[in-house]
């Protein structure tokens, strides 16, 4: 949850645990644990300001009720593409498992994601290539037209993947 606290503007680490775990930690004596990036006043101020914007602009509701379901609809719509083995995601996080041209998963070698990400960049969108998949995690402020633009670029990339 570190990136969510500051939206990545500054490094800050944190861990969240359920109440029953917290009680054990609180009453269990000294816990020698920390984060490299915890407690610095500048990053904590950035986190508080960032959380204020998230609340003020109702970004959680925006993602949960509007753009998250729309993003997932677009993502899962690509599951039928011949070069996609699986589409998976939640909210504004998604991944497409990519397939070789003949669909034979045994031919995958862990490099298709990087190739696809480079092609996507040429199509004007940024995705992350990981082994044989692409991952997408747009900002919480994304709009439906921007989601359409993202997936149009991914579709163009898929059309060129095995040209």
């Amino acid at each position: 949850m570190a990136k969510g606290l500051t939206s990545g503007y500054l490094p800050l680490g944190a861990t969240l645990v359920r109440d029953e775990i917290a009680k054990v930690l609180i009453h269990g004596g000294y816990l020698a644990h920390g984060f490299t990036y915890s407690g610095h006043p500048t990053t904590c101020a950035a986190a508080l300001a960032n959380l204020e914007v998230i609340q003020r602009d109702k970004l959680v509701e925006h993602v949960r009720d509007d753009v998250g379901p729309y993003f997932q609809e677009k993502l899962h719509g690509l599951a039928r593409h011949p070069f996609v083995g699986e589409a998976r995601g939640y909210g504004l996080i998604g991944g497409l498992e990519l397939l070789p041209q003949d669909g034979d998963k045994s031919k995958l070698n862990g490099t298709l994601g990087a190739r696809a990400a480079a092609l996507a960049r040429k199509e004007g969108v940024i995705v992350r290539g990981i082994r044989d998949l692409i991952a997408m995690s747009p900002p919480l402020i994304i709009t439906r037209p921007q989601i359409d633009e993202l997936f149009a670029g991914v579709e163009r990339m898929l059309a060129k993947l095995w040209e």
Side-chain angles (χ1 to χ4, degrees), residues 125-139:
V125 297
I126 299 172
V127 300
R128 184 173 176 206
I130 307 168
R131 294 177 299 284
D132 292 309
L133 64 85
I134 58 167
M136 295 167 275
S137 55

Side-chain angles (χ1 to χ4, degrees), residues 21 23 27 59 80 88 95 120 125 140 151:
I21 295 172
K23 287 177 187 173
H27 300 295
L59 295 181
R80 296 181 296 276
R88 56 187 179 266
V125 297
L140 302 179
F151 282 99

Side-chain angles (χ1 to χ4, degrees), residues 31-135:
L31 176 65
H33 176 73
F35 295 99
T36 302
Y37 299 111
S38 64
H40 191 284
T42 303
T43 54
C44 289
L48 290 172
N50 184 62
L51 293 171
E52 180 181 317
V53 170
I54 289 170
Q55 289 178 337
R56 180 195 71 209
D57 294 351
K58 297 184 178 4
L59 295 181
V60 171
E61 295 84 350
H62 172 68
V63 172
R64 182 191 64 215
D65 302 335
D66 184 17
V67 294
Y70 188 68
F71 178 88
Q72 290 302 312
E73 177 185 321
K74 292 288 204 172
L75 177 73
H76 289 282
L78 290 177
R80 296 181 296 276
H81 193 284
F83 301 149
V84 174
E86 181 184 9
R88 56 187 179 266
Y90 184 81
L92 284 181
I93 298 174
L96 294 174
E97 177 188 38
L98 303 172
L99 294 175
Q101 191 169 14
D102 63 4
D104 183 357
K105 287 185 180 185
S106 70
K107 294 179 181 175
L108 292 173
N109 63 8
T111 62
L112 197 49
R115 180 171 170 221
L119 286 171
R121 179 65 70 113
K122 290 179 183 176
E123 295 304 322
V125 297
I126 299 172
V127 300
R128 184 173 176 206
I130 307 168
R131 294 177 299 284
D132 292 309
L133 64 85
I134 58 167

